[in-house]
Amino acid sequence: MGDHKEQPLRVGAAVRRRRRALELTLAVVAERSGLSVPFLSQVENDRARPSQSSLEKVADALRTTAVELLAAADPACSVDVVRAEPAEPGPEPRVRSLVRGHHQMHAQEFTGDHDAGREFQFRNDQLMYVAEGAVEIEAEGRAYRLGRGDSLYLTGGVRHRWRATVSDTRLVVVAVAEHIEAVRDRPRP
């Protein structure tokens, strides 16, 4: 009652629009991402839902981010309730978008660990908040250990990586959307 959307987010149309805008074939995206053409076709037609890892591979192949693909999946709305998903038992890491649509801000909740070797760099600023557990974040050559309730702010352009140091860690990442010109060129020290 009162919820704007009850159905799961579908990214297939956003993937297809981005691929076509870049004038790429499914075969090229498959080669760049390491995923199969049939799987990518199923994703584009919303017959398969990619894992976070697969979505990141597709995003990298399309020279964008998973956050941007998720943001482009649904039209913007002024009020949107995103309900908690039932926790699925198992060691698999999970990610869910906390904001749907094409907005000025994006937020995702990561549960468990992820590819700790994956380096991130976002154009705009972001905030990382530990809702449960603990993480270690490496940024600008320093390691930061954060526990429940701690947060870390990263200025746009800072390369970083993170890993959960406790099982069942929940990390919330809030960022200014990539399509927003929120950062001017800053002189680097």
Side-chain angles (χ1 to χ4, degrees), residues 12 21 57 59 61 68 72 84-87 107 113 119 129 131 137 139 145 147 151 160 162 166 178 183 186:
K57 289 175 183 178
E68 283 299 309
E85 297 174 352
D113 210 347
E119 187 173 70
Y129 172 77
I137 301 170
R145 295 178 195 275
S151 64
H160 62 283
W162 67 271
V166 174
E178 292 287 315
V183 178
R186 295 184 178 122

Side-chain angles (χ1 to χ4, degrees), residues 6-7 9-10 22 32 45 53-54 60 64 89 104 120 143 155 160 165 183:
E6 292 292 335
Q7 59 203 33
L9 189 62
R10 298 195 275 188
L22 295 172
R32 288 182 180 178
N45 291 297
S53 174
S54 293
D60 288 346
T64 189
Q104 295 180 12
F120 297 92
T155 301
H160 62 283
T165 57
V183 178

Side-chain angles (χ1 to χ4, degrees), residues 45-67:
N45 291 297
D46 287 318
R47 289 192 304 263
R49 188 172 177 186
S51 66
Q52 180 64 23
S53 174
S54 293
L55 187 59
E56 287 172 354
K57 289 175 183 178
V58 171
D60 288 346
L62 296 174
R63 295 186 177 100
T64 189
T65 65
V67 169

Side-chain angles (χ1 to χ4, degrees), residues 47-178:
R47 289 192 304 263
R49 188 172 177 186
S51 66
Q52 180 64 23
S53 174
S54 293
L55 187 59
E56 287 172 354
K57 289 175 183 178
V58 171
D60 288 346
L62 296 174
R63 295 186 177 100
T64 189
T65 65
V67 169
E68 283 299 309
L69 289 175
L70 289 169
D74 280 344
C77 56
S78 58
V79 176
D80 188 19
V81 175
V82 178
R83 297 284 181 196
E85 297 174 352
E88 297 175 13
E92 284 298 310
R94 295 180 308 278
V95 65
R96 72 181 184 106
S97 184
L98 302 175
V99 177
R100 295 183 286 205
H102 198 63
H103 295 287
Q104 295 180 12
M105 179 185 72
H106 297 292
Q108 289 184 305
E109 178 187 60
F110 294 86
T111 303
D113 210 347
H114 77 113
D115 178 4
R118 181 175 170 83
E119 187 173 70
F120 297 92
Q121 181 180 28
F122 297 96
R123 185 170 95 192
N124 292 323
D125 298 0
Q126 76 177 110
L127 175 80
M128 301 174 87
Y129 172 77
V130 181
E132 285 294 329
V135 298
E136 184 176 274
I137 301 170
E138 182 185 313
E140 295 192 326
R142 290 188 59 198
Y144 301 89
R145 295 178 195 275
L146 280 71
R148 183 175 184 256
D150 293 341
S151 64
L152 179 88
Y153 185 88
L154 295 165
T155 301
V158 172
R159 291 183 182 278
H160 62 283
R161 66 185 65 177
W162 67 271
R163 68 180 185 90
T165 57
V166 174
S167 63
D168 295 328
T169 290
R170 287 186 333 163
L171 178 69
V172 175
V173 178
V174 180
V176 175
E178 292 287 315

